Amino acid sequence: MKFLKRLLYFLLILFLLLNIIAAFHAWKFTHFYPAGAFKNKKPEQMNTWEKVKMVTLGVRLSKSVIRLHPNVPFETVLLHTKDGLRLEGWYIPAPKATGTVILFHGYNACKDGYLPEAYYFRQLGYNTFMIDFRGHGNSEGSTCTVGYKEAEDVKLTYEYVKQKDKHIILWGMSMGAAAIIRAVPSYQLHPDKVILESSFATLTDAVKGRMRAVHLPGTPLAQMLTFWGGVEQGFWSIGFKPERDARQINMPALVCWGSHDTRVTREETDLIYQHLSSRKKQLVIFTESGHQSFCRHEPAKWKSAIKEFLR
């Protein structure tokens, strides 16, 4: 009996300790330090000592910084969230445009990272609008919910562009794609088409992707980090499931994924694709890419797929 009691006490202490560590890590993952405070690195770019520090002390990320501006005429647009955060966007008009493509970036990125995509959409005859999500780039805020609250940013951008153009296409990468999938049914948006690149299936899966990057077991750490991240940010994070929300996407959809993606699995991609209610949908696999810009890494294949989908 004494042994069992000691074992139970040990397991209880271990459980509490793991939850404290998880809560600490979740806070670090969803809060950005001032721009330039730390040199941001992906887990794959870290050496062994840096990974050990990240595992024990949590990841410290600086807010992403705008380093490039469009090399074509553009307009800076300011939007405001319901809690008063100012978001910065770029509206890039195209001559005799046939519609507008709105681009949404990934976690800890910002709008200038996808200028090559914007230029190609413009080349095809579309206006483009690029936005910094809350807590990213030139937008206000220092926290991130990896797509959940960012869905409101998608809605705000869509409503702004809707005043200018009735033909709208939504493009998103990773967190940006997940935010689109949540925003369309949540805010009753009706874009003409959506392009979803490298979206995770659930927020827990997204956290598992980061665990894989540092060679840590996904279960139960991912579930614990996801839970505490939601508690700290005020939403039910376990229930954030783009693969489920995809059932309410019924407009034409193009889904893209890279075979070497260590963050998002093929199974996650297939779940989203299979659950889409779109009558016209297409899945394109980029065999030489990982979790990165397909436009820059496999430009010919990406441009061909985009051109055909938008035709």
Side-chain angles (χ1 to χ4, degrees):
M1 290 296 294
K2 287 184 177 180
F3 172 77
L4 288 176
K5 284 184 178 180
R6 288 175 180 173
L7 179 61
L8 288 173
Y9 281 133
F10 171 77
L11 292 176
L12 178 60
I13 292 171
L14 179 62
F15 177 75
L16 292 173
L17 182 61
L18 283 175
N19 273 276
I20 291 171
I21 293 173
F24 182 70
H25 276 251
W27 193 94
K28 286 285 191 73
F29 186 67
T30 57
H31 288 72
F32 298 128
Y33 289 85
F38 299 99
K39 184 178 180 180
N40 294 344
K41 287 185 178 181
K42 295 180 180 179
E44 297 87 347
Q45 299 171 322
M46 296 179 180
N47 59 39
T48 301
W49 173 237
E50 288 172 327
K51 288 182 179 179
V52 169
K53 287 198 297 182
M54 187 185 82
V55 170
T56 55
L57 301 176
V59 59
R60 297 185 297 182
L61 294 172
S62 297
K63 185 176 179 179
S64 55
V65 177
I66 296 292
R67 302 186 186 281
L68 300 171
H69 287 80
N71 59 16
V72 293
F74 71 98
E75 174 189 352
T76 298
V77 177
L78 301 179
L79 305 174
H80 294 84
T81 66
K82 64 182 179 181
D83 52 356
L85 293 175
R86 187 190 70 238
L87 308 180
E88 184 186 280
W90 290 334
Y91 177 72
I92 306 176
K96 300 179 181 179
T98 57
T100 301
V101 179
I102 310 176
L103 295 93
F104 300 98
H105 62 76
Y107 172 81
N108 198 223
C110 43
K111 58 183 180 291
D112 68 339
Y114 299 97
L115 282 169
E117 284 85 347
Y119 293 150
Y120 185 65
F121 286 124
R122 187 172 185 268
Q123 182 182 327
L124 293 178
Y126 291 88
N127 305 314
T128 56
F129 191 98
M130 313 175 72
I131 191 79
D132 283 329
F133 280 127
R134 61 187 68 198
H136 294 75
N138 287 347
S139 290
E140 292 183 338
S142 59
T143 61
C144 174
T145 59
V146 202
Y148 186 86
K149 293 183 179 179
E150 287 76 10
E152 183 199 351
D153 305 351
V154 174
K155 177 193 75 110
L156 290 172
T157 310
Y158 177 88
E159 290 176 343
Y160 173 81
V161 174
K162 196 69 176 176
Q163 299 173 26
K164 293 175 171 286
D165 197 333
K166 62 180 181 180
H167 297 295
I168 298 175
I169 297 162
L170 303 181
W171 175 96
M173 169 64 183
S174 191
M175 180 182 80
I180 289 172
I181 297 173
R182 169 170 158 72
V184 168
S186 296
Y187 297 105
Q188 304 297 305
L189 308 184
H190 300 284
D192 289 4
K193 298 180 179 182
V194 295
I195 303 171
L196 310 169
E197 301 192 2
S198 306
S199 174
F200 50 85
T202 70
L203 184 53
T204 303
D205 286 326
V207 179
K208 284 182 180 179
R210 292 196 70 84
M211 296 296 102
R212 286 194 298 271
V214 291
H215 307 293
L216 286 175
T219 302
L221 293 177
Q223 288 83 355
M224 295 169 73
L225 262 71
T226 303
F227 170 77
W228 283 111
V231 169
E232 294 161 358
Q233 292 294 321
F235 72 102
W236 179 238
S237 51
I238 300 295
F240 180 24
K241 299 181 178 182
E243 58 90 4
R244 180 190 60 198
D245 293 333
R247 300 175 190 271
Q248 300 181 66
I249 303 290
N250 53 31
M251 66 284 303
L254 174 64
V255 177
C256 301
W257 178 74
S259 297
H260 301 288
D261 195 335
T262 58
R263 301 296 181 86
V264 175
T265 65
R266 175 64 188 265
E267 289 73 20
E268 291 177 69
T269 303
D270 287 342
L271 270 177
I272 288 175
Y273 181 73
Q274 292 163 8
H275 288 172
L276 288 168
S277 296
S278 312
R279 290 186 178 182
K280 179 184 177 182
K281 59 183 179 180
Q282 182 182 3
L283 173 62
V284 178
I285 306 298
F286 291 84
T287 57
E288 299 177 12
S289 301
H291 200 75
Q292 59 195 138
S293 167
F294 304 130
C295 173
R296 282 175 287 175
H297 199 70
E298 294 185 59
K301 186 172 183 177
W302 183 84
K303 290 179 180 180
S304 175
I306 293 294
K307 186 175 183 179
E308 180 64 27
F309 179 67
L310 296 182
R311 183 170 296 167

